[in-house]
Amino acid sequence: MKKIQQILKEKGVKPSFQRIRVLECLMKSKEHPTVEMIYLKLAKEIPTISKTTIYNTLGLFEDKGLVDDLTISGQEARYDYKEKPHSHFYCKKCRNIIDIESIRVPCHKDEICGNQIEEAHYYFRGVCKRCLNKKGGDVNG
Amino acid sequence: MKKIQQILKEKGVKPSFQRIRVLECLMKSKEHPTVEMIYLKLAKEIPTISKTTIYNTLGLFEDKGLVDDLTISGQEARYDYKEKPHSHFYCKKCRNIIDIESIRVPCHKDEICGNQIEEAHYYFRGVCKRCLNKKGGDVNG
DNA sequence: TTTCGTGCAAAGCATTTGCAAGTAG
DNA sequence: CTACTTGCAAATGCTTTGCACGAAA
């Protein structure tokens, strides 16, 4: 895996200790964490870290194109490291956001109706595989 | 156009005066209004209306599948009447959300990787036709 | 020095909740 | 009456801002 410091530098972000940790957290996590989740995780090893720093850092990362703000589930922002393009699936039951690697953009090129597209975001809602299986052998409502 | 009362009834919503007005507002608007925008508009004709009622009403409409909550642009929810399936284009310049009727993403059926899809949301970011013309043409931008 | 990064505390603001008064059936 | 709707006011909770301290250049 490419060094986190290197990734930050390439994006024009000075690799401070906190920034490295925040990015590392995002890269290792598959849960598209909220600010709160990142904060709780990092607070274990950096007791003095503040949410303000997490907000600052994520805002900076977003500006630099390192992460995406997934505004899928409403009240809390969830962050996604943009390693490669992918889509998201939001499960209504367990409320997890699952990466979907396989979906790709179809027939439209870089334009739709004359509008110039820079980013395409696809997300799906439904019930995930895991919850479907649970449901099969479960009493439910 | 189908009567608003009728639409509400079909979705199992009792057509109160306020609810009719909120839905009418959404149907007539092309700007995917925020709660604030709806509130300001309706307050002109219903001076006693409250934001709580707008929130209640939109929440109810969402539950009944009448409207979508577009969480595209961050801090404020924007609402979209679900007349027929369509996608959205968010212009970074003018910050408008534009309906795109024609886009459909192909190859997935009702399942992706074993997950059961109930809704598919696509949205695009970039610069809209209008802003492109302002910029590219000789009109000042 | 100047600039930048960090983090506490307070403020800001969209949204939700508690509750009381009004309305329909 | 009984259930539902409305809306004021207060609370909640995510996020931003003001500011000060310390580190880096």
mmCIF file of all heavy atoms in Angstrom, chain C residues 2 5 11 13 18:
data_model
loop_
_atom_site.group_PDB
_atom_site.id
_atom_site.type_symbol
_atom_site.label_atom_id
_atom_site.label_comp_id
_atom_site.label_asym_id
_atom_site.label_seq_id
_atom_site.Cartn_x
_atom_site.Cartn_y
_atom_site.Cartn_z
ATOM 1 P P DT C 2 5.510 39.597 12.162
ATOM 2 O OP1 DT C 2 5.381 40.801 11.334
ATOM 3 O OP2 DT C 2 4.689 39.424 13.376
ATOM 4 O "O5'" DT C 2 5.270 38.324 11.228
ATOM 5 C "C5'" DT C 2 5.950 38.209 9.989
ATOM 6 C "C4'" DT C 2 5.567 36.880 9.326
ATOM 7 O "O4'" DT C 2 6.065 35.781 10.124
ATOM 8 C "C3'" DT C 2 4.060 36.678 9.201
ATOM 9 O "O3'" DT C 2 3.750 36.184 7.904
ATOM 10 C "C2'" DT C 2 3.732 35.657 10.281
ATOM 11 C "C1'" DT C 2 5.020 34.854 10.345
ATOM 12 N N1 DT C 2 5.258 34.209 11.667
ATOM 13 C C2 DT C 2 5.627 32.894 11.708
ATOM 14 O O2 DT C 2 5.787 32.203 10.719
ATOM 15 N N3 DT C 2 5.822 32.403 12.980
ATOM 16 C C4 DT C 2 5.679 33.069 14.173
ATOM 17 O O4 DT C 2 5.880 32.505 15.247
ATOM 18 C C5 DT C 2 5.286 34.454 14.057
ATOM 19 C C7 DT C 2 5.096 35.290 15.291
ATOM 20 C C6 DT C 2 5.091 34.948 12.830
ATOM 21 P P DG C 5 -1.745 23.835 7.767
ATOM 22 O OP1 DG C 5 -1.402 22.717 6.877
ATOM 23 O OP2 DG C 5 -2.953 24.651 7.542
ATOM 24 O "O5'" DG C 5 -1.803 23.265 9.249
ATOM 25 C "C5'" DG C 5 -0.688 22.530 9.749
ATOM 26 C "C4'" DG C 5 -0.985 22.065 11.160
ATOM 27 O "O4'" DG C 5 -1.024 23.217 12.029
ATOM 28 C "C3'" DG C 5 -2.321 21.337 11.327
ATOM 29 O "O3'" DG C 5 -2.099 20.216 12.164
ATOM 30 C "C2'" DG C 5 -3.226 22.372 11.984
ATOM 31 C "C1'" DG C 5 -2.233 23.219 12.771
ATOM 32 N N9 DG C 5 -2.602 24.620 12.938
ATOM 33 C C8 DG C 5 -3.018 25.487 11.964
ATOM 34 N N7 DG C 5 -3.263 26.695 12.420
ATOM 35 C C5 DG C 5 -2.983 26.605 13.780
ATOM 36 C C6 DG C 5 -3.061 27.582 14.800
ATOM 37 O O6 DG C 5 -3.398 28.766 14.700
ATOM 38 N N1 DG C 5 -2.689 27.074 16.045
ATOM 39 C C2 DG C 5 -2.292 25.777 16.271
ATOM 40 N N2 DG C 5 -1.976 25.454 17.511
ATOM 41 N N3 DG C 5 -2.217 24.848 15.320
ATOM 42 C C4 DG C 5 -2.575 25.329 14.113
ATOM 43 P P DA C 11 -22.052 32.050 23.238
ATOM 44 O OP1 DA C 11 -22.140 33.483 23.551
ATOM 45 O OP2 DA C 11 -22.900 31.054 23.943
ATOM 46 O "O5'" DA C 11 -22.284 31.876 21.666
ATOM 47 C "C5'" DA C 11 -21.301 32.393 20.783
ATOM 48 C "C4'" DA C 11 -21.602 31.942 19.367
ATOM 49 O "O4'" DA C 11 -21.334 30.531 19.245
ATOM 50 C "C3'" DA C 11 -23.055 32.159 18.935
ATOM 51 O "O3'" DA C 11 -23.047 32.774 17.665
ATOM 52 C "C2'" DA C 11 -23.630 30.736 18.900
ATOM 53 C "C1'" DA C 11 -22.407 29.906 18.559
ATOM 54 N N9 DA C 11 -22.430 28.507 19.003
ATOM 55 C C8 DA C 11 -22.674 28.036 20.265
ATOM 56 N N7 DA C 11 -22.605 26.723 20.364
ATOM 57 C C5 DA C 11 -22.295 26.315 19.086
ATOM 58 C C6 DA C 11 -22.088 25.036 18.524
ATOM 59 N N6 DA C 11 -22.159 23.909 19.220
ATOM 60 N N1 DA C 11 -21.800 24.975 17.199
ATOM 61 C C2 DA C 11 -21.726 26.111 16.510
ATOM 62 N N3 DA C 11 -21.903 27.367 16.925
ATOM 63 C C4 DA C 11 -22.188 27.401 18.233
ATOM 64 P P DC C 13 -26.806 31.245 11.377
ATOM 65 O OP1 DC C 13 -26.299 31.787 10.102
ATOM 66 O OP2 DC C 13 -27.709 32.014 12.252
ATOM 67 O "O5'" DC C 13 -27.514 29.852 11.050
ATOM 68 C "C5'" DC C 13 -26.715 28.766 10.604
ATOM 69 C "C4'" DC C 13 -27.530 27.506 10.623
ATOM 70 O "O4'" DC C 13 -27.435 26.865 11.917
ATOM 71 C "C3'" DC C 13 -29.032 27.727 10.391
ATOM 72 O "O3'" DC C 13 -29.490 26.689 9.558
ATOM 73 C "C2'" DC C 13 -29.618 27.557 11.779
ATOM 74 C "C1'" DC C 13 -28.719 26.449 12.294
ATOM 75 N N1 DC C 13 -28.732 26.250 13.760
ATOM 76 C C2 DC C 13 -28.444 24.986 14.251
ATOM 77 O O2 DC C 13 -28.190 24.078 13.447
ATOM 78 N N3 DC C 13 -28.459 24.790 15.580
ATOM 79 C C4 DC C 13 -28.742 25.798 16.404
ATOM 80 N N4 DC C 13 -28.749 25.557 17.701
ATOM 81 C C5 DC C 13 -29.038 27.101 15.915
ATOM 82 C C6 DC C 13 -29.018 27.283 14.589
ATOM 83 P P DG C 18 -40.735 13.863 22.888
ATOM 84 O OP1 DG C 18 -40.108 13.015 23.914
ATOM 85 O OP2 DG C 18 -41.704 13.282 21.938
ATOM 86 O "O5'" DG C 18 -41.415 15.103 23.607
ATOM 87 C "C5'" DG C 18 -40.622 16.155 24.162
ATOM 88 C "C4'" DG C 18 -41.510 17.123 24.926
ATOM 89 O "O4'" DG C 18 -41.894 18.196 24.041
ATOM 90 C "C3'" DG C 18 -42.808 16.519 25.446
ATOM 91 O "O3'" DG C 18 -43.155 17.154 26.674
ATOM 92 C "C2'" DG C 18 -43.814 16.833 24.345
ATOM 93 C "C1'" DG C 18 -43.304 18.176 23.830
ATOM 94 N N9 DG C 18 -43.532 18.404 22.406
ATOM 95 C C8 DG C 18 -43.429 17.483 21.401
ATOM 96 N N7 DG C 18 -43.666 17.988 20.225
ATOM 97 C C5 DG C 18 -43.944 19.321 20.463
ATOM 98 C C6 DG C 18 -44.279 20.361 19.574
ATOM 99 O O6 DG C 18 -44.394 20.314 18.350
ATOM 100 N N1 DG C 18 -44.477 21.568 20.245
ATOM 101 C C2 DG C 18 -44.374 21.740 21.594
ATOM 102 N N2 DG C 18 -44.606 22.959 22.056
ATOM 103 N N3 DG C 18 -44.063 20.774 22.435
ATOM 104 C C4 DG C 18 -43.866 19.593 21.806
#
